């Protein structure tokens, strides 16, 4: 009878030790997030990172990296190697028959109410949305993918939910 209790205690100790080992492995894995070194950050490497996250991308005729989401939203990546910045941007058509003042009011509303993305109107028929983040010292794959997803969510939300007068075209 005593032997059975010892076996049970031994199994409990082994199970507890196994849990601690799994927890320790998870902590180590979390600290081992791969970082793309600063001197290796290129649009091709960003394309590779997006591909590992199952996000399809391609290069456009200007050499920018373009991602087309499931909702047909086009997001572009561009590098500023002097400032060590990764830029995300998206362009949307503004309806030509809407007054310029009304378009500017919408852009200002976006900038007042939404964070993370900067909105502007470079000409009367274009809404420009952008965000930049630094890769100085390197950048993790998580940072690239997370910033893309957040940018997509904010831009899409602005266009679909915050344009009640239908100023932004298709």
């Amino acid at each position: 009878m005593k032997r059975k209790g010892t076996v049970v205690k031994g199994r409990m100790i082994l199970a507890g030790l196994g849990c601690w080992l799994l927890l320790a492995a998870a902590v180590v894995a979390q600290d081992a997030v791969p970082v793309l070194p600063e001197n290796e950050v290129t649009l091709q490497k960003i394309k590779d990172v997006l591909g590992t996250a199952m996000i399809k991308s391609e290069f456009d005729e200007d050499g920018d990296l373009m991602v087309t989401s499931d909702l047909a939203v086009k997001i572009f990546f561009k590098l500023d190697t002097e400032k060590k910045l990764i830029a995300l941007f998206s362009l949307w058509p503004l309806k030509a028959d809407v007054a310029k003042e009304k378009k500017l009011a919408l852009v200002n509303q976006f900038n007042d109410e939404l964070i993370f993305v900067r909105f502007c109107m470079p000409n009367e028929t274009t809404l420009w949305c952008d965000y930049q983040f630094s890769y100085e010292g390197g950048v993790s794959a998580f940072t690239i993918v997370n910033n893309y997803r957040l940018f997509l969510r904010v831009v899409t939300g602005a266009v679909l939910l915050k344009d009640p007068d239908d100023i932004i075209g298709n």
Side-chain angles (χ1 to χ4, degrees):
M1 199 65 149
K2 191 172 184 180
R3 183 180 161 129
K4 190 175 183 182
T6 306
V7 171
V8 171
K9 283 182 186 178
R11 287 183 181 164
M12 289 177 61
I13 291 171
L14 284 176
L17 182 61
C19 288
W20 277 105
L21 287 174
L22 286 173
L23 180 62
V27 169
V28 169
Q30 207 171 28
D31 289 340
V33 172
V35 172
L36 191 58
E38 178 181 313
N39 63 339
E40 293 182 21
V41 175
T42 63
L43 289 177
Q44 181 59 53
K45 293 276 183 154
I46 293 172
K47 183 179 188 330
D48 296 343
V49 165
L50 294 171
T52 61
M54 308 294 275
I55 300 170
K56 293 180 185 175
S57 60
E58 61 186 340
F59 291 101
D60 70 0
E61 61 277 356
D62 296 327
D64 298 323
L65 183 59
M66 180 179 66
V67 179
T68 304
S69 76
D70 295 338
L71 296 173
V73 176
K74 291 183 180 176
I75 308 273
F76 299 88
F77 282 81
K78 194 173 192 139
L79 287 182
D80 184 335
T81 54
E82 283 184 29
K83 295 178 183 176
K84 307 285 187 225
L85 294 173
I86 298 171
L88 292 98
F89 66 95
S90 184
L91 303 167
W92 295 80
L94 295 173
K95 293 183 177 173
D97 60 344
V98 176
K100 180 179 180 179
E101 293 75 23
K102 202 165 186 176
K103 294 174 192 176
L104 287 171
L106 180 67
V107 171
N108 288 332
Q109 174 191 333
F110 286 169
N111 284 319
D112 287 345
E113 295 178 4
L114 301 170
I115 60 168
F116 192 76
V117 176
R118 176 177 56 178
F119 299 89
C120 68
M121 190 176 83
N123 60 55
E124 289 195 37
T125 58
T126 305
L127 173 66
W128 173 280
C129 317
D130 71 359
Y131 172 71
Q132 298 88 32
F133 60 99
S134 175
Y135 66 87
E136 188 172 359
V139 64
S140 71
F142 174 82
T143 299
I144 293 169
V145 171
N146 192 52
N147 279 316
Y148 161 74
R149 288 182 175 147
L150 186 55
F151 181 80
L152 175 64
R153 209 168 37 240
V154 171
V155 169
T156 305
V159 170
L160 295 178
L161 304 175
K162 296 202 169 275
D163 179 22
D165 296 330
D166 201 29
I167 295 170
I168 301 170
N170 297 342

